Every structure is written in C-alpha cells, then in structure tokens.
Amino acid sequence: MKRFILAATISAAVSAPVLAQTMDEMWDNRANGKEHPNIKWFKEAKFGMFIHWGLYSKIAGEWKGKKYYGSGEWIMSQAKIPVKEYEQVAASFNPTGFNAEEWAQLAADAGMKYMVITAKHHEGFSMYDSKVTPFDIKDATPYGKDPMKPLSEAVRRRGIRFGFYYSQFQDWYEPNGGKNSWDYDESKKNYQLYYQQKAIPQIRELLTQYGPLGILWFDTPGGMTKEQTTLFIDSLRQLQPGCLFSSRVGHGLGDYKDLGDSEIPPAPVPGAWESLYTHNDSWGYIQHDLNFKTPEALIRLLAQVASRGGNLLLNVGPDGNGRIPEYSIRYLKETGKWLKENGASIYGTTNGRIPDQPWGVSTSAPGKQFLHVLHAPDDRKLFVPLQSGIGITRVYLLKTRQPLSYTLKGKDLTIQLPASLPPCADNVVVMEYKGEIQNYTLSLPVTVSSHFDQNQLEAVRASLKGNGSIKSLTYSHYYGDWKHTTCITDVKDSTDEIRFNMRITDPGDYRIILEYSCEPSSAKQEGVLYFNDQPVYFRTLKTGSFEKTAPLLFINHIAGIVTAKAGDAVIRIRPAFNGKELFKLRSVIIEPVK
Ligand code: FHN
C-alpha cells in the first residue's frame, strides 16, 4: 500500500476513543459567539442531500444468506467480516448505473441546496481516486473510475454546494484505524499513525482535488485530544478556509452543530445546526428495507426542523449498481414540487415565533410568519395566539397568493381558511405584520381547541416542581436506527408536580389521555391529575422497561372526561403517594368529545 506521511502532525499522546454523539457534548461553539464567516449559505440552505454509498451498498444488507437490519453500512462490523473477505467485495463492485447528472438533478428537483456524500465510511473503502491507498474505487474495482469528480461538477453546475463525509477515526480496514476488533487487537493500535498515514493525507486530497467544498462532514471522532483535534482542524483549514467543518470532528469543535441521528429538537435551537434523517431505516442501501418516509412525512419533517431553526440533511442510499432507490426518487421529487410553491416558507427562514399549535408549526422571515398548517381545523378558523400587539398588514395562502380574511382581537388572531382548502401535507399561510413578535417561551399556554381531533400537551411544554426532569430518551429498533423521545421522568414524590398551562378556545367536554411508558417496577401506582381544581385519579399501567436497543412502548391511558370553559386552564399531575418514578410521560392528549 502506498503511504504518504504528513508532516503536519498531531502530537503523540493518544486519548480513548470518543464516540458519544449527543448534541450537548459535541458542540459548544455557540457559547463563544464566533461564527464561521461562510456560515450564511448553510443557515439559509435548510435542505441537503446526504448520500451513503460504499461497498456495503453492494452487500445490500445480506451476508452469506443472512439478512441484517438497521444500518446497512455497518454490515462489516455486524457480521464481523474479516478484512480479507471484505476486500473481495471490491473485486466485483461495478456501479455502471451511476449517473452523476441524474443524482445532481434529483437533488435539484428535490429543492436541496447542498449535498454531502461518503468519501470513506467506517468500512475504510475510498469512494474516490485516492493515492493514499489502493483500497479505493479507482484501483480496487472493475469500475476503475472516480465517480466523485463528475458528481462534484454536476452538483456545483446546478448551484448546489458539494461536500464530503469522511469517517476520520473509525476505519475497519486499517490495522491502526478505530474499531475493528475482530481482525486487530485494539490495544495494540497506534491511532496517531493511522491519522498521519491515512486520514490526514486523504482529507488533504479531498480538500485539494474536488474544487471548493461546502462541507467536510466528519463522523464518530476518537483517538485525539482536544488540542490534537484543534491542530488537525487548523492545518486542514489552510487548504480551504471557506469549507465548513461539521461538529462531529469532536471535542465541541466545528463550525456548526450536527444533532444525533434522527434527532429533532423539541424547541427552537439558536445558531447553525442540522438534523439528520435517512429516507428509510438504513443509511447505506439495504435491499429489504422498504420503510421509506412518505412525501407527506418528508415535507412535514422539513417544516418541523425549519420551525426549530435548523437544516434537514436527508439521506438516500444508492445501491451497488449506482442507482438511487425508486421510492427515494419519486418521494424526493414530490417534496421538491411542494418546495417550488412553498419554498419561501423554508429557505432563508429562522425559527417560528409562534409556539406549536394544534394546526402545526411556524417559521419566520423579517416581517412575516409562515404558518404551516399540517392539520386544518374543522371550522377552518385558524387561531394564532400572538404574544405582542402587532399590526397585521396582509394574510394570504403562499401557494396561490389568495388573500384570507382575519380578525385581530388584542393579541389573538383568527384567520379564515378557505372552505375548499385542498388536502396538502402542509398548506402555508403567510401573515405579514409590522412590529415585533417576541420569540416564544415554552411556558406559554398550549392551545386546546374542539376543532381538531386531538390536542397534544408535549412534555417539553411542562413546568416541573420537585424531582421531575425533561429528558430525551434514545433507543434503536434494529441497529443504529436511532429514535429520540422527549419525556418527563423521575416524578416520584407526592409533592412533585407536572404542570401544563392551557388556553382553551372552545367550551365543552374533553377526554384527557396520558401518553406514557411505564417500567414494570413503576406499575400500579396511583396518581392524580387536577384539571383546574377537579381531581381525576388514575393508576399506572405497565408497558415495559426502557432499553437502548428496543422500542420504547407507550400507552394512551384514558384518565377521564372533564368539562371546560373557554379561557385559561391548568393541568397538574402528581403521584398520590411517595414511591418510584410514576411513569415517563410523553404527552397529555386532550380530545374533544364530539
Ligand atoms: O456510524 C455512523 C452511521 O453509519 C451513519 O453514517 C451516521 C449518519 O449520521 N453517522 C454514524 C452514527 O452516528
């Protein structure tokens, strides 16, 4: 193997690998207030295409007759495939179906503004022509060409920023790379040597041979101290000062923040950041993974992420022949059609100023609120609680520019939607105004209306007294297909309290449902929910234990029916006695009795 040892080194000390990916640990640049001078395009872009493509795409989730589920790009690790056998996959990797123009055009049609593709994933195989190793697409496969050259050009020609994913620490092919313990003895590894001999020279290749890059997207850091990581970044930055480095370079460094896989913050997050989702369950292609998100789900996900102030980097997994799955092509194009008509409500926006409503979420531009109507009220009257007295100048449907009538009473705006509102994943209403709407706080009352099938009081909108806390629980169903659910946990004493402030817009009877997960040891405990001062008693029902590698099960436990007047109301929930954690409460659902 040809090796180029780089002079710009990182010092000899080797720290333990750091693989944690929670957002708080990984990125603290916002705290010191410095922003990369080139961050503007990223903040405005909002929607990007992630592509996981490697030898695992050819393996397609099945090895020696056994099907694997979850993250297909992890099959080498899951099946403990020896390096010598894995190398053989390259010998028949011939993605003749790859067409750079088609991929770039799909990203453009989908309305995506940047693309990030795996130059090298954890498997260690380089998907570009690397002079650092012969284990690359040019030298080790019958394909014998560099797909990244035409792709980077085709993408840039369409005004889309191009970037590379690079797994800087995990490299299961290299004796000194991180995390292959089935071929190599982890304790004998010299990560510094690996960085010097492979990772750094390869990143230099990527930064010098593919024109201006938008992003270098690092992943699963390890083997370097913070000082070493800083040196690593500084030396690489000189090659392309304009290129953004993702936060997964480690140690709270990087130019913007990547959340955990499939993580969306429950409330707005300031600064530049990105949510990452894959179109189905796996990042790399798996032939038997057909769990694709529908166009409706994609459009709503994009609106939700934008309403929190971030970007959505959405992954597709092309197969070993270089073809993007048919469902991804169709559903991304549908998403693009919606964006063509409604893009103003996404691109260049910042987080919404109106907290989540039963009808949906909001995004902002100067003097405008975009109201993303994901669920239309049955009376077609859109209630918008504003926190400040402002002057409304115009209200209209974004897609057709059809003006909408409205009434403003104090800080309450009611917009009349057309009776014939077409079914759509997200009908956007634009509200133009003069004055300032304050950024919202989570303690504002949650709207409850009888014109929706359900109203949801999400955990994040609660205020807590005593032992309780609001936590994001992370678990996967198969393997690496992470889910994150925000719950109220640790409420256990009779003096602990969960409180929701509500604004009930219509009087009537409402059914109150507790949505929770309950450990076997927490079951059969008595709790009391006060609707204003009226107590409603319940006893907890067992759902199962919380495990990182199993579904977290929730029950919709009907607590009872209450009669409400219009106006402000409060729900308070307490354990009846001191005991164990009552439950992990995800939300309180309020259903009008119709
Ligand atoms: O281990 C990888 C995984 O394979 C995939 O690349 C994701 C995408 O964000 N990143 C890592 C796990 O977080």
Side-chain angles (χ1 to χ4, degrees):
M1 182 184 293
K2 299 166 268 174
R3 302 256 190 216
F4 291 81
I5 305 201
L6 186 83
T9 59
I10 37 189
S11 68
V14 170
S15 67
V18 180
L19 294 173
Q21 285 168 21
T22 61
M23 49 197 238
D24 298 334
E25 284 166 279
M26 294 291 293
W27 196 77
D28 62 6
N29 271 17
R30 279 172 307 143
N32 64 30
K34 273 195 261 155
E35 281 204 320
H36 189 288
N38 211 13
I39 201 73
K40 189 168 174 280
W41 76 260
F42 177 84
K43 281 187 176 170
E44 290 175 354
K46 295 289 162 191
F47 195 24
M49 180 182 271
F50 209 4
I51 304 179
H52 277 63
W53 195 37
L55 294 181
Y56 45 80
S57 314
K58 177 163 178 18
I59 299 172
E62 187 162 342
W63 185 252
K64 297 194 172 164
K66 182 175 169 194
K67 287 189 171 50
Y68 288 79
Y69 292 81
S71 286
E73 70 286 0
W74 273 76
I75 197 158
M76 181 179 178
S77 167
Q78 271 195 287
K80 302 282 171 273
I81 305 174
V83 160
K84 287 282 159 248
E85 271 184 62
Y86 202 80
E87 269 177 345
Q88 297 312 308
V89 181
S92 60
F93 185 67
N94 195 10
T96 50
F98 166 73
N99 182 320
E101 298 296 330
E102 279 176 18
W103 286 20
Q105 192 53 42
L106 177 62
D109 290 346
M112 290 158 154
K113 302 292 185 193
Y114 61 109
M115 179 186 280
V116 177
I117 183 164
T118 46
K120 186 204 77 164
H121 202 268
H122 310 332
E123 64 176 359
F125 183 71
S126 309
M127 286 295 288
Y128 70 99
D129 179 13
S130 174
K131 300 287 175 271
V132 177
T133 168
F135 192 49
D136 72 347
I137 191 162
K138 173 84 191 319
D139 300 316
T141 76
Y143 188 65
K145 282 180 283 193
D146 181 345
M148 299 302 164
K149 271 265 151 67
L151 185 63
S152 58
E153 286 160 12
V155 164
R156 244 183 251 115
R157 224 180 300 120
R158 287 166 174 83
I160 298 171
R161 305 256 177 177
F162 182 77
F164 282 119
Y165 168 110
Y166 190 87
S167 172
Q168 75 272 33
F169 169 65
Q170 290 202 67
D171 189 313
W172 304 330
Y173 184 74
E174 299 297 332
N176 288 311
K179 294 282 155 182
N180 178 344
S181 54
W182 55 99
D183 281 297
Y184 311 119
D185 181 347
E186 207 74 31
S187 68
K188 298 213 174 93
K189 288 183 179 178
N190 182 341
Y191 298 138
Q192 297 304 297
L193 208 57
Y194 156 76
Y195 271 113
Q196 289 167 22
Q197 294 184 338
K198 185 166 181 183
I200 294 176
Q202 284 210 317
I203 297 168
R204 291 178 72 92
E205 288 181 329
L206 298 174
L207 283 166
T208 50
Q209 291 171 21
Y210 296 89
L213 298 186
I215 294 179
L216 250 186
W217 211 99
F218 294 99
D219 205 5
T220 63
M224 280 199 278
T225 62
K226 184 162 187 175
E227 290 63 40
Q228 289 169 331
T229 308
T230 307
L231 278 173
F232 169 81
I233 294 176
D234 288 350
S235 68
L236 293 170
R237 262 216 204 290
Q238 293 165 13
L239 299 171
Q240 273 205 41
C243 175
L244 303 176
F245 288 8
S246 76
S247 62
R248 291 190 182 179
V249 71
H251 292 292
L253 301 166
D255 302 317
Y256 71 87
K257 179 179 177 116
D258 271 307
L259 271 59
D261 295 348
S262 324
E263 185 174 26
I264 180 167
V269 171
W273 58 270
E274 192 177 56
S275 268
L276 337 158
Y277 277 79
T278 186
H279 193 187
N280 46 358
D281 283 329
S282 174
W283 302 88
Y285 177 75
I286 287 193
Q287 196 172 8
H288 49 272
D289 178 355
L290 296 174
N291 187 16
F292 291 95
K293 293 168 188 69
T294 62
E296 178 182 81
L298 293 179
I299 292 164
R300 290 180 173 181
L301 182 62
L302 181 59
Q304 287 236 325
V305 174
S307 79
R308 311 297 193 233
N311 289 4
L312 173 63
L313 184 62
L314 180 74
N315 181 72
V316 296
D319 65 16
N321 191 31
R323 310 297 305 180
I324 293 178
E326 196 48 41
Y327 288 108
S328 293
I329 294 177
R330 284 204 276 123
Y331 294 0
L332 285 183
K333 284 187 177 170
E334 282 298 314
T335 308
K337 275 190 211 153
W338 178 85
L339 271 166
K340 260 208 158 53
E341 295 172 327
N342 296 283
S345 69
I346 300 289
Y347 304 124
T349 60
T350 50
N351 74 266
R353 302 248 153 171
I354 294 148
D356 294 6
Q357 296 295 317
W359 45 258
V361 296
S362 62
T363 50
S364 307
K368 285 182 189 167
Q369 286 297 303
F370 298 101
L371 313 175
H372 296 260
V373 182
L374 312 180
H375 313 282
D378 61 17
D379 62 350
R380 295 292 188 257
K381 286 189 185 357
L382 202 69
F383 175 68
V384 186
L386 304 165
Q387 300 120 62
S388 358
I390 51 164
I392 309 286
T393 50
R394 219 151 68 99
V395 179
Y396 55 95
L397 271 182
L398 180 57
K399 183 174 158 183
T400 57
R401 309 267 149 181
Q402 179 187 345
L404 301 177
S405 60
Y406 59 89
T407 52
L408 181 62
K409 281 197 194 131
K411 295 176 186 170
D412 291 343
L413 173 69
T414 305
I415 299 169
Q416 182 64 56
L417 296 172
S420 59
L421 197 67
C424 175
D426 178 357
N427 272 303
V428 180
V429 172
V430 188
M431 176 194 114
E432 292 186 357
Y433 64 97
K434 287 210 171 76
E436 265 301 302
I437 304 182
Q438 289 154 22
N439 221 342
Y440 74 81
T441 57
L442 288 169
S443 56
L444 280 171
V446 186
T447 309
V448 170
S449 153
S450 64
H451 296 288
F452 298 89
D453 292 340
Q454 285 196 337
N455 302 272
Q456 210 151 7
L457 314 178
E458 305 275 359
V460 73
R461 304 295 297 273
S463 40
L464 305 177
K465 212 161 77 185
N467 290 300
S469 60
I470 299 176
K471 281 190 190 146
S472 171
L473 302 173
T474 300
Y475 51 97
S476 72
H477 286 179
Y478 286 135
Y479 184 89
D481 52 332
W482 296 109
K483 325 275 173 208
H484 308 267
T485 301
T486 303
C487 290
I488 299 165
T489 64
D490 303 304
V491 170
K492 55 190 176 64
D493 293 343
S494 61
T495 47
D496 293 349
E497 190 177 271
I498 303 169
R499 180 191 172 104
F500 292 99
N501 295 325
M502 293 174 292
R503 169 80 187 278
I504 297 181
T505 56
D506 322 280
D509 292 352
Y510 289 89
R511 193 144 77 146
I512 302 191
I513 299 163
L514 297 163
E515 188 200 16
Y516 64 78
S517 179
C518 183
E519 302 272 341
S521 59
S522 291
K524 296 192 176 167
Q525 294 186 97
E526 208 176 341
V528 56
L529 176 151
Y530 293 94
F531 177 78
N532 293 329
D533 287 326
Q534 181 192 341
V536 181
Y537 291 91
F538 62 89
R539 211 172 65 159
T540 55
L541 302 171
K542 173 174 84 179
T543 60
S545 299
F546 169 55
E547 290 169 48
K548 287 230 148 212
T549 52
L552 180 59
L553 299 179
F554 287 86
I555 188 169
N556 279 6
H557 180 158
I558 300 170
I561 289 180
V562 297
T563 302
K565 294 192 189 119
D568 288 340
V570 173
I571 279 182
R572 292 174 297 130
I573 302 167
R574 289 180 174 185
F577 307 100
N578 290 353
K580 301 216 163 107
E581 175 188 75
L582 194 60
F583 43 33
K584 298 182 198 311
L585 184 72
R586 178 150 73 178
S587 73
V588 177
I589 298 167
I590 308 207
E591 269 181 13
V593 175
K594 293 194 179 168

